[in-house]
Amino acid sequence: MKENGRLQAAALPEVAHLKVHGRTNGSLAPLTLFWTGSALEFNIRGSEVWIEAEADYDQHEPWISIVINGSPVSRQMVTAGRHWICVFRGMNEQAVKNVKIMKELQAMSDDPGCLLQIHGVKYDGEFLPVADKPLKLEFIGDSITSGEGVIGAQSEEDWIPMWFSAAVNYTAMTARELDADYRVISQSGWGVLTSWDNNPGKNIPLYYGQVCGLLGGERNEALGALQDNDFKAWEPDAVVVNLGTNDGGAFYSPDWNDPVSGRSRKQRLNEDGSFNEEDLQAFEAAAEAFLVMLRSCNPQAYLVWAYGMLGVPMLPAISRAVDSYIRKSGDTRVSVFQLPNMTPESAGARSHPGISAHEQAARALSGYLKELLHA
Amino acid sequence: MKENGRLQAAALPEVAHLKVHGRTNGSLAPLTLFWTGSALEFNIRGSEVWIEAEADYDQHEPWISIVINGSPVSRQMVTAGRHWICVFRGMNEQAVKNVKIMKELQAMSDDPGCLLQIHGVKYDGEFLPVADKPLKLEFIGDSITSGEGVIGAQSEEDWIPMWFSAAVNYTAMTARELDADYRVISQSGWGVLTSWDNNPGKNIPLYYGQVCGLLGGERNEALGALQDNDFKAWEPDAVVVNLGTNDGGAFYSPDWNDPVSGRSRKQRLNEDGSFNEEDLQAFEAAAEAFLVMLRSCNPQAYLVWAYGMLGVPMLPAISRAVDSYIRKSGDTRVSVFQLPNMTPESAGARSHPGISAHEQAARALSGYLKELLHA
Amino acid sequence: MKENGRLQAAALPEVAHLKVHGRTNGSLAPLTLFWTGSALEFNIRGSEVWIEAEADYDQHEPWISIVINGSPVSRQMVTAGRHWICVFRGMNEQAVKNVKIMKELQAMSDDPGCLLQIHGVKYDGEFLPVADKPLKLEFIGDSITSGEGVIGAQSEEDWIPMWFSAAVNYTAMTARELDADYRVISQSGWGVLTSWDNNPGKNIPLYYGQVCGLLGGERNEALGALQDNDFKAWEPDAVVVNLGTNDGGAFYSPDWNDPVSGRSRKQRLNEDGSFNEEDLQAFEAAAEAFLVMLRSCNPQAYLVWAYGMLGVPMLPAISRAVDSYIRKSGDTRVSVFQLPNMTPESAGARSHPGISAHEQAARALSGYLKELLHA
Amino acid sequence: MKENGRLQAAALPEVAHLKVHGRTNGSLAPLTLFWTGSALEFNIRGSEVWIEAEADYDQHEPWISIVINGSPVSRQMVTAGRHWICVFRGMNEQAVKNVKIMKELQAMSDDPGCLLQIHGVKYDGEFLPVADKPLKLEFIGDSITSGEGVIGAQSEEDWIPMWFSAAVNYTAMTARELDADYRVISQSGWGVLTSWDNNPGKNIPLYYGQVCGLLGGERNEALGALQDNDFKAWEPDAVVVNLGTNDGGAFYSPDWNDPVSGRSRKQRLNEDGSFNEEDLQAFEAAAEAFLVMLRSCNPQAYLVWAYGMLGVPMLPAISRAVDSYIRKSGDTRVSVFQLPNMTPESAGARSHPGISAHEQAARALSGYLKELLHA
């Protein structure tokens, strides 16, 4: 093999014009990618680029996608340890390439050992500035928003990172359609009030204010995951909330037993199969409170509760919550948008939406956002 | 990171039930993958699998796709050297997974240093037999059949491995639709008589009889690339020939000058822009001769000349050649099938067919083959 | 031309096994078709059938579609007077054909002279029973549900019957997908509280209880249009309400001036462009009251408020109304379903949804109804 | 009903700016529409238009479509006798409408009594000139080109006019896509050499030179159907020949017995199921001779043999014929184009291509013609 003699290695802090996507602790030494869809982006005029990535985990390994000039070209697991990964080679050294190294796997709240970092690059040529997109979007959600099931056969059942994708799901598709930079805050199985299995500690609002507070362990704490997020630093034009699916599921799941207090809790069904009013109220109160929080964190953004890719049982409660919020706040930049339901044909792995279901959702949602944002 | 203590390493020859796709030298120590679409397939009941791959090249690095239970889950460059690549981990150890490690890059006739081998596996659990599919297909072609341009932005122009895909092109799609095992013999820029730039040494028939004779260099020779292919060992039900696009291009390309003899040659255009009759005859003779060769190598197969994804200028000449062959041979198991033309919307990188163009071609071709094979 | 000597004429009352779709005065002497989608259906074993239709109008002529074995084969204007219209001829006299003569034009509240009746048939062969479909659906709506704009070029602007279709719109498509008999109650420009131009007399609830009470003139009264509808006689499994689009439009339209009282009324916008709270309340009260009415008329039906083909500004108000109704009534068989929005590509004539927009809506709605009805 | 007092009646010869589509005897007193797709076109600024149509037949009644501003709005049977048919009414009298009254039914060679004529118009306002389209296309074919089966349920089996459509088939779709005026010469069951049932008298070339020579009976003769067609008067840019499907079928059909000579003839199959060489030669000779004829009649046109919507068994023979013609004539403006095959999903009535099959064919064919014609 012929070595490229002109390659030079550099730690990220030594490199100009790098752009980071996703909430971050602000450090490039190294860059830690917490959330799915988080990415390192750069423009480079050169023939070859490598990145040095480091991964660790107790169970669940991170994956990355490499996106070149807007097109995903590679998707791979990053196993434990530090690895030099070649992004491209043998390209026209005069042409400028836009590169995104994107985290495919969501932040893993159950695996405090899970880590993905980028230490440095090896390259020839020069880095050039990356312009911001005209719009900024934030997506908040659960497994759907984490792209769970986008990859893999319909028959797959294991809950593993391999089936998750950020580069190919409705968040990336919607952002492309609107020509927007975007961030994703999502966690499989979580809701607004509880997780699918009634755990009240597993809800997004609890951690929304932090960089990535749902991550456990000392290392993540040391990395700043628990720090307050700097909302001033990145102000989205719209925040899309795709939550409620797991809150709905909780009504059909067994009690959750608090290992500490020993107490158990559950969203109850009435004998006729309808939702227990009191428990539904609790969900609505949580949803309304989350809107208050989202507004205080994002003073300028349109808030869009987008829901429905796996059925619409919680739509009335979501509508009531949004409504009650608007009434009390007088804040009219909030709305509910129903997403198209997955069909047997558009299903992916693990009974989750597949690519075509995400494409459909992105078409509908981007159409709605374009009107809202006059984009 | 928690080690999986049960992992055991084994060289391929020590592993039972491995299935190899694509022409091969017969050795598993190591397994050399020559052609695009060549693959190592196995069924395993276990939780984790790695493969040890080795790559080398002067310029063009090989790429692989990992296909699990029929679904592509990972696609990555394999850089020079030996690497342990994790195929999957953390899966249900009781479930059986079907795995294909597929070569994404065509055999590289211009890069004698280009090499992709698989030495061994690291795994827990046990390997199980892989049944043969009910049908066997062979695809013979050029850049289209090599999946050039399936990956990457429409704006891409560099001729590099990154834009090639075997797992996502009309050959894989057609084989899936027919539930067939398949092989691919293809080379970008090559034709039946000459290459796009009139080089008479760059045509598929010259090397069809060998395992992978278009590969140069001592290493490839030592690996058996020049050996005669054992046609008895794998008898396709249909051979699809997607050649002619570059033979057509040759008429519009400059002369090719033979560095040895100093002589130059070219497929000529008449002043009115039509093809020079004599040169066209040469193409037809080559096409007819290739059919004779294909039949002698594949006594049982239906021979289908499938052409048209990048226009149909050579269709009449191909039809004449097929026709003349049938007339002389009385062999009626040969036909011409026109593939749908690429549109601006369905174009991929490097002005080559993109995914949707390959999907369209696969729909049309598989429909035709199903009738032919009563599949 | 060869006469068919076996043809016999009969007034409808003399014919066995006729099935009437749509609200009716019960008379077959003649049969009056009031609403769009209303139809005369029969099964006949014979070679030729004619119907005698009578039409009248001051401005707007009725249109009909002829549907044979579920497929629309003819669509024509019916001009003033009595006409024998050939349904089919020269067919295999042994085969049984299912025939539907369907009114393409909505009931015309502004044209008291508008009339469509069927007096008799001319036929050979014999009439056979028509089985009821396993499900019954009722659609209530405005111009969208009247199929306005399904026919005609996008450039069309005249408000005329020619652009309306019942046989080709989401109501027929959804009913086919669910294998359901169905009825349509719809009026262009009308809403739940007022019409698009703030006229409080033009809302569906005012007339829902009558056979076709929005029709004026002595003839319609004599024909029983103002009679109470017999809800016991036809009990739908689901009632789909697609209203609100014009109530939303009213906020952006000029005042309506009552010619009688001289008083004017209007749904007002606040200075910031939001809806006036009091006026929005009035809409919600009207929507809620309509649900009470629908339930009292349709004790068994699922009530589905399906809205969104021309934007979703009223969705929150509709959700509140549905919600408030459920809360007060404890009736849980009521829900809101958002329909996919029209796009520039799916637009038809007069800036209304075209065929593809109706197909999209039918796909989404029928998917939802299938779950609801376990169909 | 309110009469439109401004309506005036006029015989066609009295009306300015009428445009006639399709081969004609040149008379407007009345206008006889022979072939499917033949039409009367006009632009009118007015509020209301009627036409007086006359129909007759022994068995098969003609049908018409009314196309307004390019959009089909009505489709109806025209029963025997003279009828005033309203085209539109109540439209904005200031707006100009483009109107096409199109014959939906092919010329009926088996029904000498079949007739469709237009005598006059009743209208208000004024007629305006109709510009010619930039391109002219001629389509020659069989039942596929006659749009047989485009209308009606898949289960339909009767051979009747109701299932035929000109306004909705690949000829109209292709012409629209290319913005072309067009003519259609087609006959169900006919071929280049014989009909599907081996009748040598039922082939298009026999009658191509006449206005509509395949029509029998004194009335048609008196109407000029047998006159030589004036090819100078309308010179197409491309002639699309979609023939061969029935010539192929003839090999699988019983002998045809000549009632006169008592002799029988048949395209024979060899014992191995292949086509008898001699009979195939006869087909090729006929196809080649037809090309000679087409060229002599259409000196400037591209000749495109477009075939394949119902399978491709005759493709090699067609290619040979085209080829042999080119070789002997040196005429290079002739080519073969394979049309996409019908699938079970895209089938219409009577096992013929349905609307989606025609749309697919039109997409492929118009793409090819655009390149050819640089349109």
Side-chain angles (χ1 to χ4, degrees):
Chain A
M1 175 222 164
K2 296 186 186 137
E3 281 293 346
N4 174 351
R6 292 160 308 163
L7 285 184
Q8 53 180 305
L12 293 193
E14 310 162 26
V15 180
H17 304 313
L18 297 180
K19 180 172 180 177
V20 173
H21 295 269
R23 292 184 179 183
T24 163
N25 58 22
S27 168
L28 288 175
L31 168 64
T32 304
L33 298 177
F34 292 114
W35 298 98
T36 185
S38 296
L40 173 67
E41 180 180 8
F42 50 83
N43 286 334
I44 182 164
R45 178 185 287 114
S47 74
E48 182 170 341
V49 173
W50 298 59
I51 57 158
E52 189 184 26
E54 177 169 11
D56 193 13
Y57 39 87
D58 297 332
Q59 304 134 38
H60 296 304
E61 77 286 347
W63 286 60
I64 59 167
S65 268
I66 298 174
V67 181
I68 302 211
N69 295 327
S71 196
V73 300
S74 177
R75 181 183 128 90
Q76 54 193 287
M77 181 190 295
V78 186
T79 51
R82 282 171 81 138
H83 313 275
W84 280 102
I85 296 169
C86 186
V87 175
F88 64 78
R89 54 182 300 286
M91 293 189 79
N92 172 351
E93 63 188 12
Q94 292 313 313
V96 177
K97 296 95 193 168
N98 175 267
V99 174
K100 251 177 137 173
I101 310 299
M102 184 179 290
K103 189 174 190 239
E104 284 278 275
L105 178 65
Q106 68 174 18
M108 297 299 274
S109 57
D110 290 346
D111 188 344
C114 191
L115 174 78
L116 179 64
Q117 297 180 312
I118 302 178
H119 289 276
V121 292
K122 213 162 45 182
Y123 67 101
D124 57 13
E126 57 171 336
F127 286 84
L128 300 168
V130 178
D132 284 343
K133 302 269 196 190
L135 287 173
K136 291 186 179 61
L137 302 177
E138 181 173 87
F139 297 90
I140 301 170
D142 48 35
S143 57
I144 297 169
T145 302
S146 292
E148 180 177 343
V150 164
I151 305 290
Q154 284 201 5
S155 57
E156 303 297 351
E157 293 179 347
D158 295 351
W159 194 80
I160 54 173
M162 190 154 63
W163 316 136
F164 287 75
S165 177
V168 181
N169 74 37
Y170 82 93
T171 62
M173 296 168 184
T174 301
R176 186 180 315 116
E177 186 62 28
L178 270 81
D179 191 25
D181 286 326
Y182 71 104
R183 292 179 168 185
V184 181
I185 307 295
S186 63
Q187 198 66 192
S188 288
W190 287 36
V192 183
L193 177 64
T194 74
S195 58
W196 68 276
D197 56 357
N198 286 293
N199 185 335
K202 295 190 170 181
N203 71 67
I204 298 288
L206 270 178
Y207 302 100
Y208 182 75
Q210 297 166 291
V211 169
C212 192
L214 49 69
L215 292 180
E218 292 177 0
R219 179 167 61 191
N220 283 317
E221 182 169 3
L223 284 170
L226 308 190
Q227 294 169 6
D228 290 346
N229 181 59
D230 177 0
F231 289 94
K232 289 257 163 305
W234 195 85
E235 303 192 70
D237 298 280
V239 175
V240 175
V241 183
N242 188 345
L243 288 169
T245 301
N246 291 298
D247 293 287
F251 284 92
Y252 303 92
S253 303
D255 299 22
W256 173 79
N257 299 296
D258 186 335
V260 183
S261 69
R263 261 197 256 86
S264 82
R265 83 167 312 294
K266 167 163 175 43
Q267 295 290 83
R268 294 158 295 175
L269 289 176
N270 299 324
E271 288 189 345
D272 65 359
S274 61
F275 296 142
N276 171 284
E277 187 57 27
E278 192 184 317
D279 296 343
L280 200 58
Q281 294 282 1
F283 165 77
E284 292 174 37
E288 186 174 345
F290 190 33
L291 290 169
V292 172
M293 181 187 204
L294 288 173
R295 174 55 73 220
S296 72
C297 297
N298 306 281
Q300 301 310 325
Y302 281 92
L303 308 180
V304 177
W305 205 299
Y307 167 80
M309 289 171 74
L310 288 175
V312 291
M314 303 301 280
L315 193 54
I318 290 168
S319 303
R320 281 191 297 270
V322 168
D323 214 59
S324 169
Y325 164 74
I326 293 171
R327 186 149 309 178
K328 295 176 191 164
S329 65
D331 176 358
T332 60
R333 293 159 70 86
V334 186
S335 58
V336 177
F337 185 77
Q338 186 182 326
L339 295 172
N341 199 356
M342 180 182 87
T343 65
E345 299 69 40
S346 64
R350 308 195 71 257
S351 311
H352 274 65
I355 290 181
S356 61
H358 278 270
E359 287 171 337
Q360 249 192 313
R363 250 195 308 279
L365 180 58
S366 57
Y368 180 69
L369 290 174
K370 279 177 179 175
E371 283 185 17
L372 214 55
L373 303 172
H374 311 296
Chain B
M1 174 222 166
K2 294 187 187 136
E3 281 294 347
N4 173 350
R6 293 160 307 162
L7 285 185
Q8 52 180 306
L12 294 192
E14 309 163 28
V15 180
H17 304 312
L18 297 180
K19 181 172 181 176
V20 174
H21 295 269
R23 293 183 179 183
T24 162
N25 58 21
S27 168
L28 288 175
L31 167 65
T32 304
L33 298 176
F34 292 113
W35 297 98
T36 185
S38 296
L40 173 67
E41 179 180 11
F42 51 82
N43 286 335
I44 183 164
R45 179 186 285 113
S47 74
E48 182 169 341
V49 174
W50 299 59
I51 58 158
E52 187 185 26
E54 176 170 12
D56 193 14
Y57 38 86
D58 296 332
Q59 302 133 38
H60 297 304
E61 77 286 348
W63 285 59
I64 59 168
S65 268
I66 297 173
V67 181
I68 301 208
N69 296 326
S71 195
V73 299
S74 177
R75 180 183 130 88
Q76 54 193 285
M77 182 190 293
V78 186
T79 52
R82 281 172 81 138
H83 314 274
W84 279 102
I85 296 169
C86 187
V87 175
F88 64 78
R89 53 183 301 285
M91 293 189 79
N92 172 351
E93 64 189 12
Q94 293 313 312
V96 177
K97 296 95 193 168
N98 175 267
V99 174
K100 253 179 138 173
I101 310 298
M102 183 178 290
K103 187 171 191 240
E104 285 277 274
L105 178 66
Q106 67 175 16
M108 297 299 275
S109 57
D110 290 346
D111 187 345
C114 190
L115 175 78
L116 179 65
Q117 298 181 312
I118 303 177
H119 288 276
V121 292
K122 214 162 47 180
Y123 67 101
D124 56 14
E126 57 170 339
F127 287 84
L128 300 167
V130 178
D132 284 343
K133 303 268 194 190
L135 287 173
K136 291 186 179 60
L137 302 177
E138 181 173 87
F139 297 90
I140 301 170
D142 47 34
S143 56
I144 298 169
T145 302
S146 292
E148 179 177 344
V150 164
I151 305 290
Q154 283 201 4
S155 57
E156 303 297 352
E157 293 179 348
D158 295 351
W159 195 80
I160 54 173
M162 189 154 63
W163 316 135
F164 287 76
S165 177
V168 180
N169 75 37
Y170 83 93
T171 62
M173 295 167 185
T174 301
R176 186 181 314 117
E177 186 61 29
L178 269 81
D179 192 25
D181 285 327
Y182 71 105
R183 291 179 169 185
V184 181
I185 307 295
S186 63
Q187 197 67 189
S188 288
W190 287 37
V192 183
L193 176 65
T194 73
S195 57
W196 69 276
D197 57 357
N198 285 293
N199 185 334
K202 295 190 170 182
N203 72 65
I204 298 288
L206 271 179
Y207 301 100
Y208 182 75
Q210 297 167 290
V211 169
C212 192
L214 49 69
L215 292 180
E218 292 178 358
R219 180 166 60 190
N220 283 318
E221 182 169 4
L223 284 170
L226 309 189
Q227 292 169 7
D228 290 346
N229 182 60
D230 177 358
F231 289 95
K232 289 255 163 307
W234 195 84
E235 304 193 73
D237 298 279
V239 175
V240 175
V241 183
N242 188 346
L243 287 170
T245 301
N246 291 299
D247 293 286
F251 284 91
Y252 303 92
S253 303
D255 299 23
W256 173 80
N257 298 295
D258 186 335
V260 183
S261 68
R263 260 198 259 85
S264 82
R265 84 167 309 294
K266 163 159 179 45
Q267 295 289 84
R268 293 159 296 176
L269 290 176
N270 299 323
E271 287 190 346
D272 67 359
S274 61
F275 295 142
N276 172 283
E277 187 56 28
E278 191 184 318
D279 297 343
L280 200 59
Q281 294 281 2
F283 166 76
E284 292 174 36
E288 186 174 345
F290 191 32
L291 289 169
V292 172
M293 181 185 205
L294 288 173
R295 173 56 72 220
S296 72
C297 298
N298 307 281
Q300 301 309 324
Y302 282 90
L303 308 180
V304 177
W305 205 300
Y307 167 80
M309 290 170 73
L310 289 174
V312 292
M314 303 301 281
L315 192 56
I318 290 168
S319 303
R320 281 192 298 269
V322 168
D323 215 57
S324 170
Y325 164 75
I326 294 172
R327 186 150 310 180
K328 295 176 189 164
S329 64
D331 176 358
T332 59
R333 293 157 71 84
V334 187
S335 58
V336 177
F337 186 77
Q338 185 183 327
L339 295 173
N341 200 355
M342 180 182 86
T343 64
E345 298 69 39
S346 65
R350 307 195 73 258
S351 310
H352 273 66
I355 290 180
S356 62
H358 278 270
E359 287 172 337
Q360 249 192 312
R363 251 195 307 279
L365 180 58
S366 57
Y368 180 71
L369 290 174
K370 279 177 178 175
E371 283 185 16
L372 215 55
L373 303 171
H374 311 296
Chain C
M1 174 222 164
K2 295 187 188 138
E3 281 294 347
N4 174 350
R6 292 159 309 161
L7 286 184
Q8 52 181 304
L12 294 191
E14 310 162 28
V15 180
H17 305 311
L18 297 180
K19 181 171 180 178
V20 173
H21 295 269
R23 293 184 180 183
T24 162
N25 57 23
S27 168
L28 288 175
L31 168 64
T32 304
L33 297 177
F34 293 114
W35 298 98
T36 185
S38 296
L40 174 67
E41 179 180 10
F42 50 83
N43 287 334
I44 182 164
R45 179 185 286 114
S47 74
E48 181 169 342
V49 174
W50 298 59
I51 58 159
E52 188 185 25
E54 176 169 11
D56 193 13
Y57 39 87
D58 296 330
Q59 303 134 36
H60 296 304
E61 77 285 347
W63 285 61
I64 59 167
S65 268
I66 297 173
V67 181
I68 301 207
N69 296 327
S71 196
V73 299
S74 177
R75 181 183 129 88
Q76 53 194 286
M77 181 190 293
V78 186
T79 51
R82 281 172 82 137
H83 313 275
W84 279 102
I85 296 169
C86 187
V87 175
F88 64 79
R89 53 182 301 285
M91 294 189 79
N92 172 350
E93 64 188 12
Q94 292 313 313
V96 177
K97 297 95 193 167
N98 175 267
V99 175
K100 251 178 137 173
I101 310 299
M102 183 179 289
K103 188 173 191 237
E104 284 277 273
L105 178 65
Q106 67 175 18
M108 297 299 273
S109 56
D110 290 346
D111 187 346
C114 190
L115 174 79
L116 179 65
Q117 298 180 312
I118 301 177
H119 289 275
V121 292
K122 213 163 46 181
Y123 67 101
D124 57 13
E126 57 170 338
F127 287 84
L128 300 167
V130 179
D132 284 343
K133 303 268 194 189
L135 287 173
K136 291 186 178 62
L137 302 177
E138 182 173 86
F139 297 90
I140 301 170
D142 47 35
S143 57
I144 297 169
T145 302
S146 292
E148 180 177 344
V150 164
I151 306 290
Q154 283 202 6
S155 57
E156 302 298 351
E157 292 179 348
D158 295 352
W159 193 80
I160 54 173
M162 189 154 64
W163 316 136
F164 286 76
S165 177
V168 180
N169 74 38
Y170 83 93
T171 62
M173 296 167 184
T174 301
R176 186 181 314 118
E177 186 62 29
L178 270 80
D179 191 26
D181 286 327
Y182 71 104
R183 291 180 168 185
V184 181
I185 307 295
S186 63
Q187 197 66 192
S188 287
W190 288 36
V192 182
L193 176 65
T194 74
S195 58
W196 68 277
D197 57 356
N198 286 294
N199 184 335
K202 295 189 170 182
N203 72 68
I204 298 288
L206 269 179
Y207 301 100
Y208 182 75
Q210 297 166 289
V211 169
C212 193
L214 49 68
L215 292 181
E218 291 178 359
R219 179 166 61 189
N220 283 316
E221 182 168 5
L223 285 170
L226 309 190
Q227 293 169 8
D228 290 345
N229 182 59
D230 177 0
F231 290 94
K232 289 255 163 309
W234 195 86
E235 303 192 78
D237 299 280
V239 175
V240 175
V241 183
N242 188 347
L243 287 170
T245 301
N246 291 299
D247 293 287
F251 285 92
Y252 303 91
S253 303
D255 299 23
W256 173 79
N257 299 297
D258 186 334
V260 184
S261 70
R263 261 198 258 84
S264 83
R265 82 166 312 294
K266 167 164 175 42
Q267 295 290 83
R268 293 158 295 175
L269 289 177
N270 299 324
E271 287 189 346
D272 66 359
S274 61
F275 296 142
N276 171 284
E277 187 56 27
E278 192 184 318
D279 296 343
L280 200 59
Q281 294 282 1
F283 166 77
E284 293 175 36
E288 185 174 344
F290 191 32
L291 289 169
V292 172
M293 181 185 204
L294 288 174
R295 174 55 74 219
S296 72
C297 299
N298 306 281
Q300 301 309 325
Y302 282 91
L303 307 180
V304 177
W305 205 300
Y307 167 80
M309 290 171 72
L310 288 175
V312 291
M314 303 300 281
L315 193 55
I318 290 167
S319 303
R320 280 191 297 270
V322 168
D323 214 60
S324 169
Y325 164 75
I326 293 172
R327 184 148 309 179
K328 295 176 190 164
S329 64
D331 176 357
T332 60
R333 294 159 70 86
V334 186
S335 58
V336 176
F337 185 77
Q338 186 183 325
L339 295 172
N341 199 355
M342 180 182 87
T343 65
E345 298 69 39
S346 65
R350 308 195 72 258
S351 311
H352 274 66
I355 290 180
S356 61
H358 278 271
E359 286 171 337
Q360 248 191 313
R363 251 195 306 280
L365 180 58
S366 57
Y368 180 70
L369 290 174
K370 279 178 178 175
E371 283 184 16
L372 214 56
L373 303 171
H374 312 297
Chain D
M1 174 223 165
K2 294 185 186 141
E3 280 294 347
N4 174 351
R6 291 159 309 162
L7 285 185
Q8 52 181 306
L12 293 192
E14 309 162 27
V15 180
H17 305 311
L18 298 180
K19 180 172 181 178
V20 173
H21 295 269
R23 293 184 179 182
T24 163
N25 58 21
S27 168
L28 289 175
L31 168 65
T32 304
L33 297 177
F34 292 113
W35 299 98
T36 185
S38 296
L40 173 67
E41 180 180 9
F42 51 83
N43 286 334
I44 183 165
R45 178 185 287 116
S47 74
E48 182 170 340
V49 174
W50 298 59
I51 58 158
E52 188 185 24
E54 177 169 11
D56 193 14
Y57 39 85
D58 296 331
Q59 302 133 39
H60 297 303
E61 77 287 347
W63 286 60
I64 58 168
S65 267
I66 298 173
V67 181
I68 301 210
N69 296 327
S71 196
V73 299
S74 177
R75 181 183 128 87
Q76 54 193 287
M77 182 191 293
V78 186
T79 52
R82 282 172 80 138
H83 313 274
W84 280 102
I85 296 169
C86 187
V87 175
F88 64 78
R89 53 182 300 285
M91 293 189 78
N92 171 350
E93 62 188 12
Q94 292 314 314
V96 178
K97 296 96 194 169
N98 175 268
V99 174
K100 252 177 138 174
I101 310 298
M102 183 179 290
K103 188 171 190 241
E104 284 277 275
L105 179 65
Q106 67 174 18
M108 296 300 273
S109 56
D110 291 346
D111 188 345
C114 190
L115 175 78
L116 179 64
Q117 298 181 313
I118 302 177
H119 289 275
V121 292
K122 213 163 48 182
Y123 67 101
D124 57 14
E126 57 170 338
F127 287 84
L128 300 166
V130 178
D132 284 343
K133 303 269 194 191
L135 288 172
K136 291 186 179 61
L137 303 176
E138 181 173 88
F139 297 90
I140 301 170
D142 48 34
S143 57
I144 297 170
T145 303
S146 292
E148 180 177 343
V150 164
I151 305 289
Q154 284 201 4
S155 57
E156 302 297 352
E157 293 179 347
D158 295 352
W159 193 80
I160 54 174
M162 190 155 63
W163 317 136
F164 287 75
S165 177
V168 181
N169 75 37
Y170 83 92
T171 62
M173 296 167 184
T174 301
R176 185 180 316 117
E177 185 60 30
L178 270 82
D179 191 25
D181 285 327
Y182 72 104
R183 291 178 168 186
V184 182
I185 308 294
S186 63
Q187 198 65 191
S188 288
W190 288 36
V192 183
L193 177 65
T194 73
S195 57
W196 68 277
D197 57 358
N198 285 292
N199 186 334
K202 295 190 170 182
N203 71 68
I204 298 287
L206 270 179
Y207 302 99
Y208 181 74
Q210 297 166 290
V211 170
C212 192
L214 49 68
L215 291 181
E218 292 178 359
R219 180 166 58 190
N220 284 316
E221 182 169 3
L223 285 171
L226 310 189
Q227 293 169 8
D228 290 345
N229 182 60
D230 177 358
F231 289 94
K232 288 258 163 307
W234 195 85
E235 304 192 73
D237 299 280
V239 175
V240 176
V241 183
N242 188 346
L243 287 170
T245 301
N246 290 300
D247 294 286
F251 284 92
Y252 303 92
S253 303
D255 299 22
W256 173 78
N257 298 296
D258 186 335
V260 184
S261 69
R263 262 199 256 83
S264 81
R265 81 165 315 291
K266 165 162 176 44
Q267 295 288 85
R268 294 158 296 174
L269 289 176
N270 299 324
E271 287 189 345
D272 67 358
S274 61
F275 296 142
N276 172 283
E277 186 58 26
E278 192 184 317
D279 296 344
L280 201 58
Q281 294 281 1
F283 166 77
E284 292 175 35
E288 185 174 345
F290 191 32
L291 290 168
V292 173
M293 181 186 205
L294 289 173
R295 173 56 73 220
S296 73
C297 297
N298 307 281
Q300 301 310 324
Y302 282 91
L303 308 180
V304 176
W305 205 299
Y307 167 80
M309 289 171 73
L310 288 174
V312 291
M314 303 300 282
L315 192 56
I318 290 168
S319 303
R320 280 192 298 270
V322 167
D323 215 57
S324 169
Y325 164 75
I326 294 172
R327 187 150 307 179
K328 295 177 191 165
S329 64
D331 176 358
T332 60
R333 294 158 70 86
V334 186
S335 58
V336 177
F337 185 78
Q338 185 183 327
L339 295 173
N341 200 357
M342 179 182 87
T343 65
E345 298 69 39
S346 65
R350 308 196 70 257
S351 310
H352 273 65
I355 290 180
S356 62
H358 278 269
E359 287 171 336
Q360 248 192 313
R363 251 196 307 280
L365 180 57
S366 57
Y368 180 69
L369 290 174
K370 279 177 179 175
E371 283 185 16
L372 215 55
L373 303 172
H374 311 296

